[in-house]
Amino acid sequence: MQYQQGDRLWIPDEEHAWLCGTVIFVSPSSIDLNTEFGLRKINIANLKGQMGVAKLEPCGNHLGESVDNLVDLDELSEGAILHHVRNRFSRKVIYTHVGSILVAVNPFEKLNIYGTNEMKRAQACCSGNLPTLYPHVFVSASLAYQQLCSNRKNQSMLISGESGPLIPLSPTQCHRSGQARQRPRRRLAFLASVAPAAGQLGEEAGIETKILQSNPLLEALGNAKTLRNGDS
């Protein structure tokens, strides 16, 4: 790949993972780039991968924008994903879509984004009353519930993370543990709120009650200690 002066490229960095650098000089063996942390010199030989091709990914034209779904970027790379997720996190926007994948970042504080109004907004979004599916855990849950009701087929969600990702599933709204643990709980809280209550389906116990009653068993099955989560 030919690099030219003025190109903006993602360059690897030990502290920040990736930095956006502007090319100021190119030689056959190295590239000099200006970054927000000063000058960086990249040895082209060190960039050669398994195919023997040296390549630095371009930054694209959306660095200053808040993009809900990162597949809409003109250049999608690891550096771009980290940059946009980090920028959204700094504005207390913890959810981002990458295609159909919902990326969530632990906010390390209580955010007022899980109330009844947010549940109603998620339902309206999945009902077609909003133009796009915005990134939020309630939207993911609402979409799954909508597909369950309309297609009469089981739905599944894969939830992964560093802090106890397999520890489901209390529908409570407490913030006593990691964000990965909270995601299943948020989904259950939403599903319990929209599910038919007792009597609506001719049953003594409604779906909401059944979900809440299943919680102790699900907690027991998912209770696992991890390297970063020792409170299980």
Side-chain angles (χ1 to χ4, degrees), residues 219-232:
E219 283 276 10
L221 293 175
N223 226 13
K225 182 177 180 179
T226 67
L227 293 176
R228 297 197 179 193
N229 178 29
D231 64 347
S232 299

Side-chain angles (χ1 to χ4, degrees), residues 10 45 66 71 93 154 200 218:
W10 292 113
S66 179
V71 297
V93 181
N154 292 334
Q200 290 183 275
L218 295 173

Side-chain angles (χ1 to χ4, degrees), residues 22-50:
T22 303
V23 176
I24 59 176
F25 180 76
V26 180
S27 72
S29 60
S30 65
I31 306 172
D32 292 347
L33 303 100
N34 189 31
T35 75
E36 60 179 312
F37 299 102
L39 183 67
R40 294 287 195 275
K41 181 181 287 291
I42 302 297
N43 189 330
I44 293 179
N46 293 338
L47 296 175
K48 292 185 177 179
Q50 295 181 352

Side-chain angles (χ1 to χ4, degrees), residues 117-134:
N117 289 338
E118 195 64 47
M119 290 185 180
K120 293 179 179 179
R121 183 188 176 203
Q123 287 180 276
C125 176
C126 294
S127 299
N129 296 328
L130 294 178
T132 58
L133 297 176
Y134 67 96

Side-chain angles (χ1 to χ4, degrees), residues 136-161:
H136 194 286
V137 64
F138 286 166
V139 173
S140 298
S142 180
L143 188 60
Y145 182 72
Q146 184 185 66
Q147 293 292 325
L148 177 68
C149 294
S150 61
N151 298 329
R152 300 294 179 179
K153 292 184 178 180
N154 292 334
Q155 304 293 307
S156 62
M157 295 181 182
L158 175 62
I159 303 172
S160 178

Side-chain angles (χ1 to χ4, degrees), residues 47-89:
L47 296 175
K48 292 185 177 179
Q50 295 181 352
M51 301 300 294
V53 178
K55 184 178 180 182
L56 291 173
E57 298 287 350
C59 293
N61 300 313
H62 297 86
L63 290 183
E65 301 178 13
S66 179
V67 182
D68 283 347
N69 196 327
L70 299 189
V71 297
D72 294 332
L73 297 174
D74 56 344
E75 297 288 349
L76 183 61
S77 62
E78 182 178 330
I81 292 174
L82 292 176
H83 168 82
H84 286 279
V85 170
R86 182 187 296 119
N87 281 358
R88 290 169 66 84
F89 172 80

Side-chain angles (χ1 to χ4, degrees), residues 109-122:
E109 63 179 289
K110 186 174 182 178
L111 299 179
N112 186 27
I113 58 174
Y114 301 109
T116 303
N117 289 338
E118 195 64 47
M119 290 185 180
K120 293 179 179 179
R121 183 188 176 203

